[in-house]
Amino acid sequence: RVGGVVVAVGNKKLMDSEGLVLGGDSVQYITEVHNNAHTCVLVAIGGELAGALAISDPIRPESGGVIAALNQMHIECHLVTGDNWGTAKAIAHELGIAMVEAEVCPAGKAARVRELQKGIGCRYHPGEPRGVAMVGDGVNDSPALAAADVGMAIGAGTDVAIEAADFVLMRSDLQDVLTAIHLSRTTFNRIRLNYIWAMVYNILGIPLAAGVLYPLLHWTLPPWLAGGAMAFSSISVVCSSLALRTYRPPKGVSRDKRLRYINVK
């Protein structure tokens, strides 16, 4: 109340709860605003509509390229937002996101993450459990960031979101999401390579050191050579791991909204 007069500022749901009936022109204006990927904030004074504000949160220039790259990497993308359906669908269409959830509360976002982890509502291979990563920057995103297998917070976001996330994109650039995924896959592949190399090396080396060739060739591996070979096995694995220091991130995505292609190989 302001000076004894009830003032309401919010979306259409709030106006409906206040018993405010919107006219045809107002509804048409709200629809146009939502279709243009804007959020409409209504202002009512004394039970009558006094004004409407169109607010937009500009899409990051790299967003389209990042979404296209994630699709190319066979990573399913979902847009889960608290905005209205009109705005959500317009943004999803502009970015090329097929799966959209709108008008979702903070607890609903966390619940949606848990559903996706069980494969519920997924576009590809529904019903199969999977890992889910969540990218967000606001207070409303913090429950979902905590519920996800990997929570990624935007560096310029709120402190609550940063605390709830597993790691932070310090440059506030969504392209770092691609770098994080690409680096994790590269590291995991290197771990696999090290395991395979060490296994093959020891499968061949241990029998030689035990004298498996002695009955045929009357030859056995000297202890000093066997010890050196064992040390070489450890050194080779360490050197293979250190090769990750030469890692180079994937090429930058296009920041032109008309171009959404990236080569992440």
Side-chain angles (χ1 to χ4, degrees):
R1 289 180 176 272
V2 179
V5 179
V6 177
V7 178
V9 180
N11 57 16
K12 187 175 181 297
K13 279 187 176 181
L14 177 63
M15 298 301 137
D16 292 339
S17 66
E18 294 291 329
L20 179 64
V21 179
L22 300 177
D25 293 339
S26 300
V27 173
Q28 182 180 357
Y29 174 77
I30 294 172
T31 303
E32 292 176 356
V33 168
H34 290 172
N35 291 338
N36 290 327
H38 290 64
T39 300
C40 189
V41 179
L42 304 175
V43 180
I45 301 177
E48 295 183 0
L49 183 64
L53 305 175
I55 301 175
S56 66
D57 189 7
I59 298 176
R60 295 176 180 272
E62 74 275 12
S63 299
V66 171
I67 296 300
L70 291 173
N71 290 331
Q72 188 185 25
M73 296 166 72
H74 305 291
I75 296 176
E76 189 173 310
C77 299
H78 291 249
L79 174 62
V80 183
T81 176
D83 278 333
N84 60 82
W85 275 101
T87 302
K89 288 181 179 180
I91 293 176
H93 176 73
E94 184 174 350
L95 296 179
I97 301 176
M99 309 299 290
V100 185
E101 295 279 343
E103 299 179 4
V104 182
C105 64
K109 291 182 179 181
R112 185 67 185 121
V113 168
R114 286 188 286 269
E115 288 178 353
L116 291 174
Q117 289 171 333
K118 299 176 182 178
I120 300 175
C122 294
R123 187 179 184 185
Y124 303 112
H125 308 292
E128 294 183 4
R130 64 198 65 204
V132 176
M134 168 72 183
V135 182
D137 63 351
V139 175
N140 294 340
D141 298 323
S142 55
L145 288 170
D149 295 286
V150 179
M152 306 182 188
I154 306 297
T158 61
D159 292 339
V160 176
I162 292 174
E163 282 293 327
D166 295 295
F167 65 88
V168 182
L169 307 178
M170 296 304 296
R171 297 192 305 160
S172 299
D173 190 334
L174 292 178
Q175 185 176 324
D176 290 339
V177 173
L178 298 178
T179 302
I181 295 173
H182 187 262
L183 177 58
S184 65
R185 288 182 172 181
T186 302
T187 303
F188 196 70
N189 288 337
R190 184 54 55 93
I191 293 172
R192 286 177 173 172
L193 176 64
N194 290 344
Y195 269 119
I196 293 173
W197 162 250
M199 185 180 298
V200 173
Y201 189 90
N202 285 280
I203 288 175
L204 295 177
I206 291 175
L208 288 176
V212 69
L213 296 178
Y214 187 80
L216 292 175
L217 304 177
H218 298 285
W219 178 86
T220 185
L221 199 64
W224 65 269
L225 187 57
M230 193 64 204
F232 177 75
S233 172
S234 300
I235 292 173
S236 63
V237 170
V238 171
C239 291
S240 176
S241 300
L242 289 176
L244 287 172
R245 292 171 61 90
T246 62
Y247 169 79
R248 294 292 181 271
K251 296 179 181 179
V253 300
S254 170
R255 295 177 184 269
D256 188 338
K257 294 181 180 179
R258 297 170 298 177
L259 302 175
R260 296 176 181 167
Y261 177 79
I262 178 177
N263 186 1
V264 294
K265 295 182 180 179

